[in-house]
Amino acid sequence: MVFVRGLKILAILYRGGDAAKQEPRLLGTVENELGLRSWLESQGHEYIVSDDKEGPNSVFQKQIQDADILITTPFHPGYVTPEVFNKAKNLKVCVTAGVGSDHINLNTAIDKKVQVLEVTGSNVTSVAEHVVMNMLLLVRNFVPAHEMIERGDWDVSQVARNAFDLEGKVIGTIGAGRIGHRVLQRVLPFNPKELVYYDYNPLPEEAAKAVGARRIDTVEELVSQCDVVTVNCPLHEGTRGLINADLLKKFKPGAWLVNTARGAICDKFAVADALKSGQLRGYAGDVWDVQPAPKDHPWRAMKNPLGGGNGMVPHYSGTTLDAQQRYAAGTKSILEKYFQGKEQEPANVIVGIGKWATKAYGQR
Ligand code: NAI
C-alpha cells in the first residue's frame, strides 16, 4: 500500500469566533479545523488553515502557490479561478468539505489535471429540510408575522392577507438530484395539487412513481405551471443567471421562489425587482452570489408590496451540526484514500484526473 507523506494541505474555512470555541461541533471553522490537525500532523503532513481568502496578499493566495491539496467549504469558498490555478504549481486535489464545487473553475481543473472531490450527500437532507421550511415560511407569511410580535404589535389581518396553505399548490423543482428528490419526498405529505420537476437527468422510474412527480421538458414550462419553485441544481455555465428578468416574467404572478442551490443561478436585481412588483410573492434561501454577502446586497432587505416575502439567511442550510460531523468525516475519508492510493467513492468525484466524472454539471 502507498502511504503519501509530507504534503502541504491548505484549508480555507470560515471564522467561528466565540461560537466555535464554545461549540466544538462547529467543525467547519478555522478554530476547529474540521477536526483534522492532529491526524494530519501525525501522518507527516503540514496543515495550514485560514479564513483569509480575498486579494493577492491573502493567506489563500500566498499558500496556494505550493499547496498539494486544497480544502474549502461552499460556505466560505476560496475561489479557485484560472489565475489561481496558474499560481498553484503543486496542486493535485481540491476537496469540497460539503456539496457544490462551483467555486472551483472545473474546466481549468480538467486542463490542469487537478481532481475535484466532494463529500457527496453529506448535507442533502439538511438542505432539503431547509427548503421545506422556506416554502412554508413564505407561503404562510411567517417572517412578517413574527416581526410584528417582536415589535409589540398585533394585527391578524395584516399578516393573514398574504398567508396561504401549501396544500393544493403546484410545487416544482429545477434539478431533481439528491436534494431535489428529497424535497419532493418531504412535500408530498402536504397534499400538493401536483409535483413537477425539470432535469435533463430524469429521476429513476421508481423514485418518480413514489413521489408522483411529472417531468416537464423545459424550465419555462415548469415555472409557468408552479405556485412554488425550488432550485436544486448546481451552478455551472448552463445555470448561471438562469432565473433572470425574462424567465421571471414567465412565472405565475405571485409565485414563491426558494433557492438554496447557489445565489448566482438567480439575477439578484431581477429577483429584487420581481419581489418589489409582486410578480414574486416571496423569495427565500441561504445562498448569495458572493459570500460573505456585502451589507448593501439587494436581497438583504427586499420586500414584496405588502412588506414581506423575504426569507433570506446566511449560507447555513447545509452546515447544521449534524451536517458538519458528516462532511468533516467525509473529508477525512477522502484524504485517507488519497494518502493510501485507494480509489475514491465514485459519487464523490466531480472531476477526475483530466476528465469530468459527474453528469450533474450540465449536459456535455
Ligand atoms: P446532485 O448532483 O445530486 O443533483 C443535481 C441535479 O441537478 C442533477 O440531477 C442534475 O442533472 C441537475 N441539473 C444540472 N443542471 C441542470 C439544469 N440546467 N436544469 C435542471 N437540472 C439540472 O446534487 P445535490 O446534492 O442535489 O446538490 C445540488 C446543489 O445544491 C449543489 O450543487 C449545491 O450547489 C447546492 N447545495 C447547497 C447547500 C447549501 O448549504 N445551501 C448544501 C449542499 C448543496
Side-chain angles (χ1 to χ4, degrees), residues 93-360:
V93 183
C94 294
V95 183
T96 301
V99 172
S101 297
D102 51 276
H103 53 283
I104 297 161
N105 188 305
L106 298 171
N107 290 315
T108 312
I110 291 171
D111 292 347
K112 299 276 183 190
K113 298 196 166 38
V114 173
Q115 290 185 72
V116 180
L117 307 170
E118 65 183 39
V119 191
T120 295
S122 56
N123 52 14
V124 295
T125 298
S126 320
V127 179
E129 288 186 5
H130 196 97
V131 172
V132 177
M133 175 182 76
N134 278 177
M135 287 180 185
L136 285 167
L137 70 81
L138 288 182
V139 171
R140 306 196 61 85
N141 207 22
F142 176 83
V143 175
H146 179 70
E147 287 169 348
M148 172 185 286
I149 286 301
E150 283 202 23
R151 280 197 310 273
D153 294 342
W154 184 282
D155 183 347
V156 173
S157 301
Q158 187 51 34
V159 288
R161 70 185 291 189
N162 216 11
F164 299 81
D165 297 337
L166 195 53
E167 182 171 74
K169 303 297 180 287
V170 179
I171 303 173
T173 175
I174 301 173
R178 294 174 184 85
I179 297 175
H181 178 224
R182 279 168 178 74
V183 171
L184 295 172
Q185 288 177 314
R186 280 159 180 72
V187 293
L188 185 60
F190 285 89
N191 292 326
K193 183 170 179 195
E194 198 181 12
L195 293 179
V196 293
Y197 76 98
Y198 166 69
D199 193 324
Y200 57 84
N201 284 312
L203 277 169
E205 208 173 306
E206 279 308 303
K209 227 199 244 167
V211 290
R214 175 167 60 93
R215 187 171 172 216
I216 293 187
D217 289 338
T218 67
V219 73
E220 288 81 4
E221 267 182 76
L222 178 121
V223 300
S224 70
Q225 295 180 26
C226 287
D227 301 295
V228 184
V229 176
T230 163
V231 187
N232 296 296
C233 57
L235 173 64
H236 54 77
E237 302 93 315
T239 58
R240 186 175 291 278
L242 174 71
I243 302 192
N244 55 22
D246 281 346
L247 192 66
L248 283 161
K249 282 187 204 132
K250 299 187 172 121
F251 276 60
K252 268 191 178 177
W256 295 275
L257 176 57
V258 174
N259 175 18
T260 53
R262 284 295 177 260
I265 295 173
C266 295
D267 177 320
K268 64 182 165 201
F269 297 113
V271 163
D273 287 348
L275 191 63
K276 195 172 169 201
S277 72
Q279 171 63 6
L280 283 182
R281 199 183 296 272
Y283 182 91
D286 65 330
V287 285
W288 305 73
D289 55 349
V290 182
Q291 295 187 179
K295 284 210 168 15
D296 61 352
H297 196 290
W299 290 358
R300 284 184 184 264
M302 62 185 180
K303 296 271 192 287
N304 66 24
L306 293 174
N310 185 333
M312 289 307 295
V313 293
H315 190 173
Y316 85 108
S317 70
T319 193
T320 57
L321 295 182
D322 298 305
Q324 297 201 35
Q325 188 264 325
R326 290 189 295 264
Y327 66 66
T331 301
K332 183 174 177 187
S333 159
I334 286 172
L335 293 174
E336 197 161 36
K337 285 195 166 66
Y338 182 76
F339 299 152
Q340 296 179 359
K342 286 188 185 159
E343 201 185 321
Q344 297 289 341
E345 293 291 333
N348 286 348
V349 187
I350 301 302
V351 163
I353 300 172
K355 57 178 193 299
W356 283 100
T358 177
K359 291 190 169 69

Side-chain angles (χ1 to χ4, degrees), residues 13-22 26 28-32 51:
L13 304 173
Y14 56 88
R15 186 156 294 283
D18 285 345
K21 288 181 203 135
Q22 290 154 12
L26 279 167
T29 57
V30 171
E31 290 78 0
N32 297 325
D51 67 329

